[in-house]
Amino acid sequence: QVQLVESGGGSVQTGGSLRLSCAVSEFTYCMAWFRQAPGKEREGVAYITSGGSTNYAISVKGRFTISQDNAKNTLYLQMNSLKPEDTAMYYCALSARSWCSLAYSSMDYWGKGTLVTISS
């Protein structure tokens, strides 16, 4: 059973930074971060493949960086220049597929989330 545990959420002011971590019991080909703001659907933020390829949602490109540490079995999301619209519950997700996508339906395993709040 794949297990994912997020950490690193918190409350910061606009323009600040946070780094989210996700401890993973096993890496798969595709690992991603999603987020869900109150009253909105869960959306893909970024993914990384086992080969290191990455893809980002347009709303976070240039501000967020996804990375992985194979030795620590940990997935990261470095978030800079944070905006109030980045406020959401952030989820780590893994796909058991041999391809990668930011679509919610493409993920097979989910963490419980970590809350990020950005104040203006």
Side-chain angles (χ1 to χ4, degrees), residues 13-92:
Q13 292 187 328
T14 296
S17 297
L18 282 173
R19 188 176 80 156
L20 305 183
S21 299
C22 177
V24 182
S25 59
E26 62 180 275
F27 276 178
T28 60
Y29 174 74
C30 179
M31 296 171 289
W33 287 95
F34 282 69
R35 67 185 182 186
Q36 188 166 18
K40 295 189 176 181
E41 294 186 351
R42 195 170 298 189
E43 63 173 354
V45 174
Y47 73 64
I48 186 167
T49 69
S50 58
S53 297
T54 58
N55 189 34
Y56 296 89
I58 292 174
S59 59
V60 307
K61 205 165 189 177
R63 301 187 297 123
F64 291 10
T65 303
I66 189 171
S67 62
Q68 60 189 36
D69 185 328
N70 294 332
K72 296 182 178 180
N73 266 27
T74 301
L75 182 69
Y76 299 102
L77 185 68
Q78 177 66 44
M79 306 186 295
N80 299 328
S81 303
L82 285 162
K83 306 174 182 180
E85 51 264 44
D86 294 318
T87 294
M89 186 71 79
Y90 282 72
Y91 299 90
C92 175

